[in-house]
Amino acid sequence: QCLNLALDPIETVATYPLDRVREIHVSGGSWDDRGGRAIRRDTHDDTVPDDVLDLLERIAPSCPALETVVYERLGTTLADPASHDPYRDDVRRVREIVSHW
């Protein structure tokens, strides 16, 4: 939503009670045109953008109660074998990030 609302994600997250965060959700999405305006949608149909994974890496250490990071991807988007490696890369990167805290 930070992209859609032109907000700085770090400043936005800083307003949250990070000490209460127990779960973080990450997913990919798609762009949609709404009346000539591009908006980002959390559709779970593509790889996770690097900016999202970078944000996870930056904020996870600030969430002392964090128990789970959920990576979501629609199963129907994995029907093509060419989609398997990017999916695996996402899973590996999320695992690498969470292994540091």
Side-chain angles (χ1 to χ4, degrees):
Q1 285 297 39
C2 288
L3 286 175
N4 295 332
L5 300 173
L7 299 173
D8 180 279
I10 297 299
E11 289 176 13
T12 301
V13 169
T15 67
Y16 297 166
L18 296 179
D19 60 318
R20 299 182 67 193
V21 173
R22 294 179 62 185
E23 183 175 298
I24 296 176
H25 148 106
V26 294
S27 72
S30 59
W31 288 97
D32 196 10
D33 183 352
R34 295 293 166 131
R37 181 173 173 248
I39 62 164
R40 185 69 178 173
R41 297 180 56 222
D42 182 22
T43 51
H44 303 184
D45 60 356
D46 203 355
T47 56
V48 180
D50 286 340
D51 290 348
V52 171
L53 293 170
D54 292 343
L55 184 60
L56 172 64
E57 190 166 24
R58 287 187 68 181
I59 66 168
S62 300
C63 303
L66 185 61
E67 297 174 355
T68 304
V69 174
V70 177
Y71 167 54
E72 294 185 276
R73 178 86 183 256
L74 294 174
T76 56
T77 66
L78 300 171
D80 177 9
S83 66
H84 296 180
D85 284 340
Y87 170 80
R88 287 185 190 106
D89 290 343
D90 273 353
V91 171
R92 281 187 201 106
R93 182 135 183 232
V94 169
R95 269 194 194 147
E96 180 181 321
I97 291 167
V98 301
S99 73
H100 292 108
W101 48 264

